[in-house]
């Protein structure tokens, strides 16, 4: 829909998907919906309603349950202080000023749409609307920061091509969280780490990113509709509960730690990223059918795990998954990728070498025949690549009671 401005203020026709409900207008100037900082209460006429005055529009006070849009005004930022607990229907942040909502609790009985960066510093209570969780949509390149505490038993669906960033302490949040539709949930504090808290489901190309201070409870990866789910993050980021990656095409990467039990099948394990080696840490790890360990080598060296080459570190036991067992033709696929600092003409490659690709503090019950060497990616832009020198290294997997070797 298109919302015009009769006297030269914000033209809401530039708002993506139109405006929602009433529009924040703290300046309260007739015909000029120009936003700004201020106090949100239920008595002052700080909201523009396009339906007033026979469609010419006008200002009125907020009524509980109203759909609300923030976005009028030019570049810059503004803080809105809630002077009492507020309940809205739908909430939208449109192009224009970057808003922060602070103060008393904000309850949402509909969905949240962010087409511009914004921050909700108030405590946020998603309301279960007729059995439907609140949908939080962020547009491409947009970050919605939730700095307050998520409260209540109801969950939310994280969707869109942007990022929802959780910086508040949400250790006891009981609502279930779905991350899907190519969206990213970035966790920078405790989330659902208390006993009895909710859990996280990652699906449909969703990404769960754990910052170095990010800690979550139980994580389940659902079946994919064709795009890969991703769990990744920085050293210090942890999954304190269980990790179940047996139901869909997914990938775990980065340098995070899983302190609960992890089960991985039909999914990729790829420590670090395409620019740097890394270490993925697990308490107990069970590998199942079609698990894919993508291992990277970044220098002519067999030392320096996590720096020169990737490694999985299992504090206790490395086992075969009981639900998705490793069978002939369904082993752990071990892929190898060389990066550009590798020089196959270096004397390092004139002798045999061994890398510890997985360390196990307890018992390693996997045997060499539980692994199969998959793709060996030796890029043509390496110094002395295999095409130029006419040969390529060959690899095999061996195991003992504690480790896995390449």
């Amino acid at each position: 829909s298109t919302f015009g401005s009769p006297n030269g203020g914000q033209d809401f026709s530039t708002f993506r998907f139109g405006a929602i409900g009433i529009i924040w207008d703290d300046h309260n100037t007739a015909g000029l919906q120009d936003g700004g900082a201020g106090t949100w209460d239920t008595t002052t006429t700080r909201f523009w309603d396009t339906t007033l005055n026979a469609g010419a529009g006008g200002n009125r006070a907020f009524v509980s349950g109203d759909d609300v849009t923030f976005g009028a005004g030019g570049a810059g930022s503004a803080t809105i202080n809630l002077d009492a607990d507020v309940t809205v229907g739908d909430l939208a942040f449109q192009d224009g000023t970057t808003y922060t909502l602070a103060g008393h609790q904000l309850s949402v009985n509909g969905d949240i749409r962010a087409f511009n960066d914004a921050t909700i510093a108030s405590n946020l209570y998603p309301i279960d609307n007729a059995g439907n969780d609140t949908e939080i949509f962020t547009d491409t390149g947009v970050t919605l920061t939730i700095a307050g505490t998520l409260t209540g038993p109801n969950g939310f669906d994280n969707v869109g091509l942007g990022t929802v960033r959780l910086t508040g302490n949400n250790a006891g949040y009981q609502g279930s969280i779905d991350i899907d539709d190519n969206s990213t949930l970035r966790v920078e504090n405790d989330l659902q780490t208390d006993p009895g808290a909710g859990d996280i489901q990652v699906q449909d190309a969703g990404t769960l990113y754990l910052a170095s201070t990010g800690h979550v409870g139980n994580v389940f990866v659902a079946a994919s509709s064709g795009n890969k789910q991703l769990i990744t993050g920085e050293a210090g980021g942890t999954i304190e509960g269980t990790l179940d990656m047996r139901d869909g095409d997914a990938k775990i990467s980065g340098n995070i730690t899983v302190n609960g039990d992890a089960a991985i099948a039909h999914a990729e394990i790829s420590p670090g990223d395409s620019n740097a080696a890394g270490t993925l840490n697990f308490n107990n790890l069970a590998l199942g059918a079609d698990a894919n360990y993508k291992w990277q080598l970044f220098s002519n060296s067999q030392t320096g795990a996590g720096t020169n080459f990737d490694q999985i570190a299992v504090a206790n036991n490395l086992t075969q998954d009981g639900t998705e067992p490793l069978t002939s033709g369904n082993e752990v696929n071990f892929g190898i990728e060389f990066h550009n600092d590798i020089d196959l003409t270096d004397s390092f490659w004139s002798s045999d070498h061994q890398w510890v690709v997985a360390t196990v503090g307890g018992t390693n019950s996997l045997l060499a025949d539980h692994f199969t060497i998959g793709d060996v990616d030796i890029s043509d832009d390496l110094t002395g690549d295999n095409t130029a020198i006419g040969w390529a290294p060959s690899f095999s997997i061996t195991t003992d009671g504690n480790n896995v070797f390449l």
Side-chain angles (χ1 to χ4, degrees), residues 39 49 58 79 99 107 131 154 162 170 205 257 274 278 360 362 365 368:
T39 299
D49 186 339
T79 297
Y99 282 96
S107 298
N154 306 310
N170 297 293
T257 296
S274 60
V360 184
S365 63

Side-chain angles (χ1 to χ4, degrees), residues 300-379:
N300 300 318
S301 175
Q302 65 178 14
T303 61
T307 303
N308 293 325
F309 61 89
D310 291 339
Q311 189 176 78
I312 293 172
V314 182
N316 287 309
N317 301 320
L318 176 61
T319 60
Q320 181 177 179
D321 182 64
T323 303
E324 296 278 353
L326 298 168
T327 58
S328 179
N330 293 291
E331 304 93 347
V332 176
N333 186 302
F334 194 96
I336 300 168
E337 183 172 349
F338 283 12
H339 288 267
N340 290 352
D341 286 340
I342 304 300
D343 181 359
L344 293 181
T345 66
D346 190 273
S347 60
F348 175 84
W349 295 100
S350 63
S351 58
D352 292 338
H353 296 285
Q354 179 174 269
W355 293 268
V356 183
V357 295
T359 63
V360 184
T363 300
N364 173 21
S365 63
L366 297 189
L367 305 174
D369 59 7
H370 287 131
F371 296 84
T372 183
I373 299 295
D375 292 337
V376 179
D377 183 2
I378 303 176
S379 302

